Amino acid sequence: MNVSVTGPKIIFQLPFGIHITETVVNMWIVMALLTLLSLWLTRNLKVRNPGKRQLAAEKIYLMLTGLVKGTMGKEQSFFVTYICALFGMSMFGSLMGLIGLRPPTADLSTTLGFALVSFVLTQTVKIKSGGFLGFLKSFTEPVAVITPLNIISEVASPISMAFRHFGNIASGVVISALIYGALAALSNAVLGWLPNSFLASVPWLMAGLPAVLSLYFDVFTSFLQAYIICMLTMVFATDSE
């Protein structure tokens, strides 16, 4: 069994030694797809007699709006647009494996970027709601002696979010590659003795099981991790008030 699991490949190189990897290219594909999907869903909106496309767009928006307002309250409804963007980027980025591309979220730089943007946003909300002095004072609560622990906890939040998301998607890529390699080797061992070269060369045992595993690693896990990172962002922002 010859299985190789590596990081994102370098697609091309820009001047000054800037490498453009699979992660960058695939994430731009995700952004392009989300942009086209948004334009398609919001095209020719009607007040009366909306079509199925508009109803689907409104349903998605109402679900995410309800999730944000139910978690953060109506006064934080301005988070809806960011949570929608974060959910779409995370889920579609992880689903890229379904079309044979490396998921951008299997790269720590992507999930760390998500987490850092969420971290900066929550800290901004905290400063706006309590002022800069109130922001500093919050690290001394409930008692000043635990200030270092509060600072560590605050800094650890985006790190834990990034590694949780990256670890789940990257582990799915690794496990899928190992299973594909194992099934190919098993197929060759079981059917390699057949005299017909076509029957012996096709890895028949790879049919079926990878598709089932893809439903979990590519679909269920993608949705779950997108939901988790959005929930953590909202919880951290709510706690920061």
Side-chain angles (χ1 to χ4, degrees):
M1 181 176 66
N2 184 19
V3 178
S4 177
V5 180
T6 61
K9 299 177 182 178
I10 298 175
I11 304 300
F12 58 91
Q13 182 174 333
L14 295 177
F16 307 105
I18 300 175
H19 294 158
I20 303 301
T21 65
E22 285 180 292
T23 298
V24 177
V25 174
N26 293 347
M27 185 52 75
W28 274 101
I29 294 175
V30 170
M31 289 189 289
L33 290 175
L34 286 174
T35 300
L36 294 174
L37 179 62
S38 300
L39 293 174
W40 178 69
L41 288 175
T42 57
R43 183 170 57 88
N44 298 327
L45 298 180
K46 301 177 181 178
V47 177
R48 298 180 179 179
N49 300 321
K52 294 181 179 179
R53 171 173 49 83
Q54 182 175 336
L55 291 175
E58 292 177 355
K59 181 64 175 180
I60 294 172
Y61 176 78
L62 290 175
M63 288 176 59
L64 292 174
T65 301
L67 178 65
V68 173
K69 290 183 178 180
T71 305
M72 306 180 69
K74 294 182 179 180
E75 65 280 359
Q76 300 292 344
S77 59
F78 60 87
F79 265 90
V80 171
T81 52
Y82 174 69
I83 295 301
C84 288
L86 180 62
F87 186 87
M89 293 283 285
S90 173
M91 187 176 71
F92 279 81
S94 300
L95 287 173
M96 294 295 279
L98 287 175
I99 57 176
L101 299 177
R102 179 182 174 84
T105 48
D107 192 335
L108 181 59
S109 62
T110 301
T111 58
L112 185 58
F114 292 164
L116 288 177
V117 173
S118 296
F119 176 76
V120 171
L121 186 60
T122 56
Q123 299 309 307
T124 302
V125 170
K126 188 173 184 178
I127 293 173
K128 288 185 65 176
S129 61
F132 187 70
L133 292 179
F135 169 73
L136 296 178
K137 184 181 177 182
S138 66
F139 291 104
T140 65
E141 297 174 352
V143 290
V145 70
I146 65 170
T147 298
L149 295 179
N150 285 335
I151 295 175
I152 293 173
S153 175
E154 201 74 19
V155 174
S157 296
I159 297 175
S160 64
M161 289 172 62
F163 275 93
R164 179 185 291 109
H165 198 337
F166 157 75
N168 280 278
I169 302 302
S171 63
V173 172
V174 173
I175 293 173
S176 296
L178 292 174
I179 292 176
Y180 271 94
L183 289 176
L186 181 61
S187 180
N188 183 64
V190 173
L191 304 176
W193 58 271
L194 294 175
N196 189 307
S197 59
F198 172 75
L199 294 176
S201 61
V202 176
W204 298 101
L205 297 182
M206 292 178 65
L209 181 58
V212 175
L213 294 175
S214 180
L215 290 176
Y216 177 79
F217 289 119
D218 291 329
V219 180
F220 175 73
T221 302
S222 299
F223 176 84
L224 181 62
Q225 292 307 312
Y227 176 78
I228 289 174
I229 195 172
C230 288
M231 286 299 300
L232 289 176
T233 298
M234 291 187 288
V235 169
F236 290 152
T238 305
D239 290 342
S240 67
E241 297 178 2

